[in-house]
Structures are given as C-alpha cells and as structure tokens.
Amino acid sequence: MSGPKSVSRLDHCYNIADLRQAAQRRLPKGVFHYVDKGAEDQIALDNNRSTLDQTKLLHRVLTDVSEVKLDTHLFGRPASMPLIIAPTGVAGMCWYQGELELARAAAKAGVPFTLATGSNTPMEKIAEQAGGNLWFQLYMWREKELSYELVKRAARAGFKTLIWTVDIPHKPNREHDQRNGFSMPYKLNARSVIDALRHPEWLATVLGRYMMSSGLPRHINFPPQYQHKFTGRATEAKALQADKLGWNDLDRLREIWPGQLIVKGIMRIDDAEQAAARGVDGIVVSNHGGRSMDSAPSTLAVLPGIAAAVGNKTTVLVDSGIRRGSDIVKCLALGAKGVLTGRATLYGVGAGGEAGASKALAILQAEMRRTMAYVGCPRIDDLSDDVIWRG
C-alpha cells in the first residue's frame, strides 16, 4: 500500500512529467532507465513524442461543452475513457507487486488493465484481488504448447481479452541496460547492488519486501521449469522467445482463446489487412514505445493509413508516447478507438504505487476532458480528423 511519504510526494505532481521525475528520484537508475528509455540511439522513442507534439488541434468555439463525457465501450465492455493500461513486465520492480497496484488503480478508474507475460505477480491473484476488466498479454515461446497452456490458464483465471505482442522477434538492443548492469530477470551484480544501496527506500520497500516474503521475485506466470529467480541467468523461456512465427499461429490462438483477441505491434497496412482478414477483434498500432527497432516511424504517422484500411473491419488501437490527455484526443481524431499507455502509469506506480497510478490516470482524464472542450467535441463519437490542423 502507499504510505504517507509517497502520498506527500504525489501532492506535488501535476502532470505525467512530474510523476516521471518523482519516479526517477525513487527508483534505482537501472530500473528507471529500463522503464524510461528506448533502443539504441532513442530515435524511435523521441520520434513518437515529436510527432505527437507537432500534431496540432483546432479550437471550435461557441459550442455547448458544459458536459463533456469520455465514457465509451471497448470490445463491448464499458470504459470510463478510451484508455487501456499497457502490459509492462517491470511494474513489479517499480513497486512491491506493482502489477497488482496498477490493476487496482485501473479497476477503480474504470479502464482495462493488461498483465504482461513477464510479470511477477500470479495472474490468479490479480483476478481475485483487483478485478475489473482484465486483459492478458502473450509473448509466444518457441515451445508453443507452453504458450497455449499459459493462454488457457489466463482464460480460466477470468481474463477476457488476449493481446499477442508480435513485434520483437529478436532481443532488442537496449545499450543503457548493459551500461547499468540491469537485466530482466533482475541480476544482483556489483553495479546493481551499488545502484540499490543508493536508493534505500526502494531497497527496503521493494526488494526487501520480496526477500522477507516470497523471496526474490521470479516470473511467476511462466511454466514451472522456467521460473528462475531474478538473480539467476536469463530464463530459457526468454532465450527461446519464438522467432519462427506465421499467420497460422494466429489461427491457432483464435481456436483456443475464448475471448477477444488483439494483435499488438502492427505498423504496416498489409499486416493490418492480414490480421483483419483472419478475424482478430483488434490490432494495436505500435512500435513498442521505441523499445524495439530504433528506425521505426512514429505510430501516429502510420495510424491514419491503417485506420482507413481496416477501421471498419476491426478495432484499431494505438500506443507509444502517450503523455498528455491531448495525445489521446489526437490519436482518436486520426482513427484509433482507444490508446494504450505504459510509461505514464509506470511513472505513477514508481512514484507512489496504486495512488501514483491513480494519479496518472486522473491527470490524463482531466487533460483529455479539457482538450475535448477546446475542440468542441463533448462526446468521443464527435471526434474526427477535422479537429486536426492541416497547415
């Protein structure tokens, strides 16, 4: 739970950038950089933000915006706003059982929460103690039958939507992690130990709590033979992450998953069309937040073409770079039906656990409502690309 110190810290956070700074002060450098940075030269990471910043919105005046409503439906279920908390496997290193903190914040805010394959809180515990609209994210392993068993387990636990992330066929080149001596699974080495000692609050409230309860965290949702502790070498499951995948694997997932199925990591129109033709319920236009291929274009740049091609066949979502409520409005205006945010709520949980995540969601919601009023759109369905300035 969030203590008085974290609440006091949150009192001085007025936007996501403030939460980022608060998280940076509290977290070890290795953990924070894993959350905050992208791949290689950070080009894709920076481009996601610069494209959003350079996209401008037009005021519409003398319109009744006395009652702006952000509520919508995502895959037939109500949501307080068109936002989903993205899968982030490092949440449990930002806060003790950080996935549970995020899930509780999402449930209270009325938005979906996505649990990552690499999380270290059991999916059953998330379902029992957080509730809400729960999604599960899958990385396909080379031993595909193990992945299918994981998917079936998520369905039994009560998760309603499956996101299959498909855009990392090889391990990304994140050089900052090598410099910091940081890895997932987490390893204790000279650099990480010194880093932890410089952040005594994190050491006591995160790593210390794990050691006093269940021991050092492990990938608890992995098959038993792959549940190495974070102090061990990289798990075989990660090393054998599938790089021999095809569209027929999507068909197999469609057969065994009873709920909504979403493919995450789409950046091409032909891939979007292929996914739609195979009956997916949704796609996520995503460059993995700039954490995968550093030469990728921004998601906002490719979103309109993809939405125009398949928006009437499947639900188009988008992620990568969301930091303001106005960013959400821009994405919706350019064809998305919803956005996923990862870092914004991670900054919140890193700064203050559930309370910090709730603060991040409240900030985005307030900013979005304000922007909707400025562009003269009191309802989500009122948004279209005519609010985008084409100068």
Side-chain angles (χ1 to χ4, degrees):
M1 299 296 290
S2 303
K5 188 172 183 178
S6 63
V7 172
S8 175
R9 185 188 298 121
L10 297 175
D11 287 342
H12 301 286
C13 293
Y14 305 104
N15 54 36
I16 301 302
D18 290 342
L19 288 172
R20 176 184 177 275
Q21 290 181 350
Q24 185 175 18
R25 287 191 293 268
R26 179 180 169 274
L27 297 176
K29 182 179 179 181
V31 177
F32 179 75
H33 280 185
Y34 187 87
V35 171
D36 191 61
K37 289 184 175 292
E40 296 181 350
D41 299 313
Q42 318 296 311
I43 295 171
L45 175 80
D46 294 340
N47 195 35
N48 283 332
R49 275 306 321 160
S50 63
T51 305
L52 281 162
D53 291 339
Q54 291 164 17
T55 301
K56 306 302 180 184
L57 298 169
L58 293 167
H59 275 85
R60 178 179 284 116
V61 300
L62 300 179
T63 301
D64 185 357
V65 290
S66 58
E67 191 177 2
V68 176
K69 291 186 176 293
L70 307 183
D71 59 296
T72 188
H73 281 76
L74 295 168
F75 303 100
R77 301 191 69 184
S80 63
M81 58 178 166
L83 180 143
I84 304 102
I85 293 185
T88 49
V90 76
M93 296 304 292
C94 294
W95 198 270
Y96 178 71
Q97 295 188 346
E99 300 95 349
L100 184 57
E101 302 284 308
L102 279 171
R104 284 171 169 160
K108 290 177 181 178
V111 298
F113 165 77
T114 313
L115 183 68
T117 293
S119 63
N120 60 283
T121 303
M123 62 177 74
E124 293 81 5
K125 185 171 186 176
I126 298 292
E128 292 169 4
Q129 297 191 16
N133 187 356
L134 296 175
W135 297 13
F136 186 75
Q137 176 265 340
L138 174 70
Y139 284 120
M140 186 79 77
W141 295 316
R142 184 167 294 179
E143 295 181 59
K144 295 177 184 177
E145 289 301 322
L146 294 177
S147 298
Y148 301 150
E149 288 303 314
L150 184 65
V151 166
K152 293 174 184 177
R153 178 183 165 191
R156 291 194 299 269
F159 288 76
K160 303 300 184 184
T161 301
L162 178 68
I163 293 183
W164 181 23
T165 302
V166 297
D167 59 353
I168 303 190
H170 286 270
K171 183 179 179 180
N173 183 25
R174 299 169 188 162
E175 295 154 1
H176 52 277
D177 292 334
Q178 299 174 48
R179 295 189 183 97
N180 293 328
F182 182 85
S183 64
M184 288 288 286
Y186 185 71
K187 293 181 182 179
L188 289 176
N189 53 46
R191 281 175 291 181
S192 64
V193 168
I194 292 171
D195 197 8
L197 290 173
R198 289 173 174 168
H199 296 82
E201 181 189 347
W202 177 88
L203 183 60
T205 60
V206 179
L207 206 56
R209 287 190 67 185
Y210 284 125
M211 295 178 70
M212 293 293 291
S213 55
S214 57
L216 287 171
R218 63 189 187 276
H219 288 151
I220 195 67
N221 295 308
F222 279 19
Q225 62 267 45
Y226 287 154
Q227 287 187 25
H228 296 286
K229 291 183 179 180
F230 278 19
T231 49
R233 59 186 174 83
T235 66
E236 294 176 60
K238 284 290 185 181
L240 296 178
Q241 185 169 300
D243 53 8
K244 294 183 178 180
L245 296 173
W247 289 102
N248 58 314
D249 293 301
L250 178 58
D251 298 337
R252 177 62 178 145
L253 282 177
R254 180 73 286 177
E255 290 173 3
I256 66 175
W257 178 254
Q260 286 79 36
L261 176 60
I262 299 170
V263 176
K264 180 177 181 290
I266 300 294
M267 292 290 286
R268 295 173 58 104
I269 290 175
D270 55 351
D271 283 343
E273 291 174 334
Q274 179 78 280
R278 288 177 180 264
V280 300
D281 298 286
I283 62 172
V284 183
V285 178
S286 173
N287 63 19
H288 216 93
R291 294 169 55 79
S292 181
M293 184 173 70
D294 200 28
S295 297
S298 71
T299 53
L300 199 67
V302 302
L303 171 63
I306 291 174
V310 301
N312 62 343
K313 302 172 186 176
T314 192
T315 299
V316 177
L317 307 173
V318 67
D319 70 11
S320 303
I322 303 301
R323 297 291 184 278
R324 288 280 188 182
S326 56
D327 297 335
I328 302 173
V329 172
K330 293 170 186 178
C331 292
L332 299 180
L334 290 172
K337 296 299 183 183
V339 306
L340 286 80
T341 183
R343 289 185 178 95
T345 45
L346 266 187
Y347 295 144
V349 82
E354 179 187 332
S358 294
K359 181 112 184 187
L361 291 170
I363 287 169
L364 292 172
Q365 189 173 47
E367 291 176 347
M368 185 181 176
R369 181 176 288 109
R370 188 178 303 114
T371 304
M372 294 276 289
Y374 287 146
V375 299
C377 296
R379 302 291 183 273
I380 295 296
D381 290 343
D382 297 332
L383 279 171
S384 69
D385 66 357
D386 76 340
V387 305
I388 302 293
W389 179 57
R390 307 287 187 183

